């Protein structure tokens, strides 16, 4: 081959190579925008996650949920809502210590060729850490420019704070780290703060550990999507903005994912602990569990349901009230069709709700988290809550004198014609306000447009969230009355007092009535 022919062949090969690169070469691989949600035990992280997943848009969100306990109750609760495009379970340990490799593998699998991101089955990732995690290692992993997560783009680190808890107690080492790493802090549960001075105290404590984070005040983590995710809602009118439009299914309002990210991040969120405003004990990572002495106990009972009265005595006892966190999905006698969710957080505040019906055989699963727990004591005490457990209940009063108190209170209506065979000992009542305002319940719902079922749920929430002693607890269920009408009723399972504290029940009933009847000017009788 002559020199000229060799030169021509080289020129042809160059053009062929360029053409092959254009036609067959790899295109730019997509990134996975990611939001890291952290916060101490019971602050409201799963509430925030459910708020994001249920926002109404069709963001295709994958949720990686870390639970310190062996049983991942949070993942179960999110799964039951069926709002996430993909769920990744990270259980029985901290994602910052033992499960970081699992998170990296899950992200890598979503980002691999032909994976969920490339197929556009997922376009945003939410990572929820456990309540006792130090998020710094996770932040560094998601920020890394190489490795399995190098195409995960960390858009924001959101720390959820239980405002009521922080107003009364100094944060743990893990909670301090969670605050120091935050781009955004959600001051959750502000309705539990007594006044503005308490809110100012909480805000100043947050700023002491992190003066740069943006603070949003909220109840039930109800904050705008654009405040925590790098998205625009509604979209800009300029079609050249470069965002990725996603149609809003319910209102057709699109949500735009930022093409570049970075608008919510602050430079110091991934600074090593020694250069941030953390205390000196927090400079050694991977030891936060030893310092805070957190352990978990998980219990599963499949053989029989839980007695409501025994459960009330158990969760109102000092053993449970001194825990840092409790959460479970229970099979309760007399409520056999429904998944009963119960939880404890903060200053011993309880929660109860019905989470739909069982899709399989009913089972009670519950997790307890605290410092220096005695696993055998907790497991034995909870097992004594089953229906057939032979345990003496000292607060049982078979005369039901508490029922007489309810009957004499004009705020309530007693349902003596509802007594289900398998629910021995329980009585049902409702907050209606009929005798207080002079309206029949059907008039309250039809004419005043007051949802009495919602009113009774509000009462149960208020009673359970109280911090009075003895601790109050109130559950509810749905029953079918003799006329065939389905009503939500409150449960008095027996014991010395309804809700275990009649004073709290009556006090909160008056408050709830005043809120729901605030637009009613006069009583039906004209006064």
């Amino acid at each position: 081959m002559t020199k000229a022919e060799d030169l021509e062949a080289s020129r042809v090969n160059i053009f062929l190579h360029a053409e092959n690169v254009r036609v067959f070469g790899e295109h730019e691989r997509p990134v996975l925008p990611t939001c890291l949600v952290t916060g101490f035990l019971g602050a409201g992280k799963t509430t925030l996650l459910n708020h994001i997943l249920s926002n109404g848009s069709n963001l295709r969100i994958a949720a990686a949920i870390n639970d310190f306990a062996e049983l991942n109750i949070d993942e179960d609760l999110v799964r039951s809502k069926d709002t996430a495009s993909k769920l990744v379970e990270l259980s029985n340990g901290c994602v910052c210590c033992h499960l970081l490799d699992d998170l990296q593998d899950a992200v890598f699998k979503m980002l691999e060729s032909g994976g969920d991101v490339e197929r556009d089955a997922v376009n945003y990732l939410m990572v929820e850490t456990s309540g006792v995690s130090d998020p710094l290692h996770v932040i560094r992993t998601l920020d890394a420019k190489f490795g399995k997560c190098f195409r995960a783009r960390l858009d924001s680190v959101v720390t959820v704070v239980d405002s009521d808890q922080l107003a009364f107690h100094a944060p743990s080492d893990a909670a301090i780290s969670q605050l120091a790493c935050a781009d955004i802090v959600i001051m959750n549960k502000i309705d539990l703060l007594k006044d503005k001075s308490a809110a100012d105290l909480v805000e100043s404590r947050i700023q002491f550990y992190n003066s740069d984070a943006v603070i949003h005040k909220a109840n039930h983590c109800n904050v705008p999507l654009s405040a925590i995710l790098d998205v625009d809602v509604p979209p800009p009118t300029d079609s050249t903005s470069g965002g990725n439009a996603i149609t809003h299914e319910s209102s057709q309002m699109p949500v735009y994912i930022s093409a570049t990210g970075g608008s919510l991040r602050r430079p110091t969120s991934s600074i090593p602990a020694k250069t941030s405003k953390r205390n000196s004990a927090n400079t050694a990572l991977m030891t936060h569990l030893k310092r805070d002495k957190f352990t978990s106990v998980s219990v599963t009972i499949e053989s029989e349901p839980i007695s409501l009265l025994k459960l009330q005595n158990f969760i109102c006892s000092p053993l449970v009230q001194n825990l840092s966190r409790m959460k479970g999905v229970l099979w309760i006698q007399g409520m056999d069709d429904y998944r009963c969710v119960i939880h404890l957080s903060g200053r011993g505040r309880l929660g109860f709700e019905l989470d739909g019906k069982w899709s399989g055989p009913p089972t009670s699963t519950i997790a307890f988290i605290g410092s220096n727990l005695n696993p055998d004591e907790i497991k034995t005490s909870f097992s004594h809550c089953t229906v057939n457990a032979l345990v003496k209940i000292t607060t049982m009063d078979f005369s039901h004198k508490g029922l007489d108190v309810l009957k004499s209170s004009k705020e309530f209506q007693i349902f003596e014609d509802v007594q289900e065979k398998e629910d021995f000992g329980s009585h049902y009542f409702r907050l209606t306000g009929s005798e207080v305002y002079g309206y029949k319940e059907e008039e309250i719902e039809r004419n005043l447009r007051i949802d009495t079922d919602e009113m009774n749920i509000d009462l149960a929430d208020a009673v359970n969230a109280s911090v009075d002693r003895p601790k109050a607890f109130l559950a509810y269920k749905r029953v079918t009355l003799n006329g065939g009408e389905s009503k939500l009723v409150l449960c008095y399972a027996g014991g010395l007092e309804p809700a275990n504290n009649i004073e709290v029940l009556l006090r909160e009933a008056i408050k709830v009535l005043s809120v729901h009847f605030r637009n009613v000017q006069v009583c039906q009788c004209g006064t």
Side-chain angles (χ1 to χ4, degrees):
M1 182 180 292
T2 66
K3 187 175 182 179
E5 290 173 333
D6 186 56
L7 183 62
E8 180 64 22
S10 297
R11 186 181 296 112
V12 170
N13 287 336
I14 289 173
F15 281 109
L16 283 173
H17 173 72
E19 187 174 84
N20 285 334
V21 168
R22 286 196 301 271
V23 175
F24 302 108
E26 286 193 9
H27 300 287
E28 184 177 352
R29 305 292 295 278
V31 298
L32 179 57
T34 302
C35 171
L36 178 66
V37 177
T38 187
F40 194 61
L41 297 162
K45 298 182 296 298
T46 305
T47 300
L48 175 62
L49 181 58
N50 279 322
H51 167 63
I52 294 170
L53 293 173
S54 306
N55 68 83
S57 74
N58 63 345
L59 284 170
R60 293 175 289 283
I61 298 176
I65 303 172
N66 173 218
D67 201 318
F68 178 60
E70 181 181 355
L71 297 173
N72 199 328
I73 304 295
D74 290 337
E75 187 269 347
D76 179 32
L77 295 176
V78 171
R79 187 180 296 278
S80 72
K81 301 285 192 297
D82 196 26
T83 52
S85 297
K86 184 182 183 70
L87 282 175
V88 178
E89 182 180 353
L90 304 167
S91 301
N92 201 19
C94 280
V95 69
C96 60
C97 303
H98 308 104
L99 302 174
L100 192 56
D101 288 343
D102 293 348
L103 175 63
Q104 292 182 79
D105 290 342
V107 173
F108 181 74
K109 188 173 182 180
M110 282 186 272
L111 286 165
E112 67 183 357
S113 179
D116 293 317
V117 176
E118 200 166 277
R119 292 186 292 104
D120 204 25
V122 168
N123 57 21
Y124 222 103
L125 172 64
M126 301 294 304
V127 179
E128 178 190 334
T129 73
S130 76
V132 296
S133 291
D134 182 334
L136 187 58
H137 273 354
V138 184
I139 293 171
R140 288 174 172 175
T141 299
L142 294 172
D143 271 340
K145 303 305 180 187
F146 55 88
K148 292 183 175 180
C149 295
F150 82 98
R151 284 195 290 118
R153 186 189 78 196
L154 184 56
D155 282 353
S156 58
V157 179
V158 181
T159 298
V160 184
V161 170
D162 182 337
S163 299
D164 175 66
Q165 174 81 346
L166 190 56
F168 285 87
H169 299 286
S172 69
D173 285 331
I176 290 171
S177 181
Q178 293 160 2
L179 285 170
C181 288
D183 300 313
I184 299 151
V185 175
I186 298 178
M187 268 180 63
N188 196 30
K189 308 182 186 181
I190 58 170
D191 57 323
L192 299 178
L193 299 177
K194 60 180 181 179
D195 51 33
K196 185 179 181 301
S197 63
D200 292 341
L201 172 64
V202 173
E203 190 166 359
S204 67
R205 287 183 172 176
I206 293 170
Q207 291 173 336
F208 175 79
Y209 297 108
N210 188 335
S211 58
D212 298 324
V214 176
I215 299 175
H216 297 285
K217 299 175 182 177
N219 290 319
H220 306 292
C221 289
N222 191 4
V223 294
L225 222 61
S226 57
I228 48 180
L229 307 182
D230 207 336
V231 298
D232 289 328
V233 187
T237 55
D238 183 5
S239 60
T240 63
S241 62
N244 250 337
I246 301 166
T247 302
H248 191 297
E249 292 178 336
S250 58
S251 65
Q252 300 306 309
M253 180 185 294
V255 174
Y256 278 68
I257 299 177
S258 169
T260 58
S263 66
L264 299 176
R265 294 301 303 279
R266 62 179 187 87
T268 54
S269 63
S270 57
I271 284 181
K274 62 182 180 181
T275 62
S276 69
K277 285 186 178 179
R278 307 182 200 191
N279 59 20
S280 58
N282 204 32
T283 58
L285 295 175
M286 304 282 286
T287 61
H288 64 96
L289 292 177
K290 293 181 180 178
R291 290 194 305 273
D292 291 330
K293 299 180 181 179
F294 287 117
T295 54
S296 68
V297 177
S298 299
V299 184
T300 298
I301 297 178
E302 301 175 339
S303 56
E304 57 180 312
I306 301 298
S307 159
L308 183 58
L309 177 59
K310 294 175 184 176
L311 177 68
Q312 173 180 288
N313 279 265
F314 171 69
I315 63 177
C316 294
S317 68
L319 176 65
V320 173
Q321 286 296 301
N322 289 329
L323 294 171
S324 298
R325 185 75 165 126
M326 175 191 70
K327 50 191 172 182
V329 180
L330 304 183
W331 169 25
I332 297 179
Q333 182 188 35
M335 307 180 193
D336 302 72
D337 291 339
Y338 290 93
R339 291 160 45 95
C340 299
V341 178
I342 189 165
H343 55 86
L344 173 142
S345 62
R347 297 193 296 136
R349 298 184 187 273
L350 296 170
F352 177 89
E353 62 181 291
L354 301 178
D355 183 47
K357 295 189 176 183
W358 296 101
S359 58
T363 303
S364 292
T365 57
I366 193 166
F368 308 90
I369 301 175
S371 299
N372 303 312
L373 299 184
N374 183 331
D376 292 336
E377 181 184 16
I378 290 177
K379 290 180 179 180
T380 300
S381 297
F382 182 71
S383 68
H384 289 165
C385 293
T386 56
V387 170
N388 295 317
L390 299 177
V391 180
K392 181 180 180 181
I393 303 178
T394 57
T395 58
M396 187 64 178
D397 179 8
F398 289 99
S399 66
H400 288 297
K401 293 178 181 178
L403 195 62
D404 296 332
V405 178
L406 290 177
K407 289 178 179 178
S408 63
S409 302
K410 58 183 180 180
E411 291 84 5
F412 299 109
Q413 176 185 1
I414 311 299
F415 292 91
E416 304 215 35
D417 58 339
V418 179
Q419 187 71 52
E420 300 193 5
K421 183 178 180 181
E422 76 280 7
D423 197 9
F424 173 76
S426 290
H427 292 265
Y428 305 111
F429 63 102
R430 270 170 68 84
L431 177 67
T432 64
S434 294
E435 291 189 29
V436 177
Y437 292 93
Y439 292 88
K440 295 179 180 179
E441 185 171 354
E442 55 267 26
E443 293 174 329
I444 293 172
E445 295 183 339
R446 184 183 64 245
N447 300 339
L448 302 181
R449 304 294 179 89
I450 294 175
D451 187 333
T452 54
D453 279 355
E454 180 182 334
M455 187 167 67
N456 279 270
I457 291 175
D458 287 349
L459 174 58
D461 289 345
V463 168
N464 293 331
S466 69
V467 293
D468 300 78
R469 295 294 183 268
K471 183 68 188 83
F473 172 68
L474 190 57
Y476 52 83
K477 63 179 287 187
R478 286 206 161 272
V479 299
T480 302
L481 304 179
N482 288 342
E485 186 180 11
S486 175
K487 286 287 186 182
L488 187 143
V489 295
L490 305 171
C491 303
Y492 169 37
L496 297 178
E497 298 183 10
N500 203 49
N501 190 327
I502 190 65
E503 291 184 7
V504 170
L505 177 62
L506 294 176
R507 181 192 70 205
E508 298 302 329
I510 293 171
K511 290 181 181 179
V512 170
L513 282 177
S514 67
V515 170
H516 283 265
F517 282 83
R518 61 187 178 278
N519 294 323
V520 179
Q521 301 299 320
V522 294
C523 175
Q524 178 84 325
C525 63
T527 59

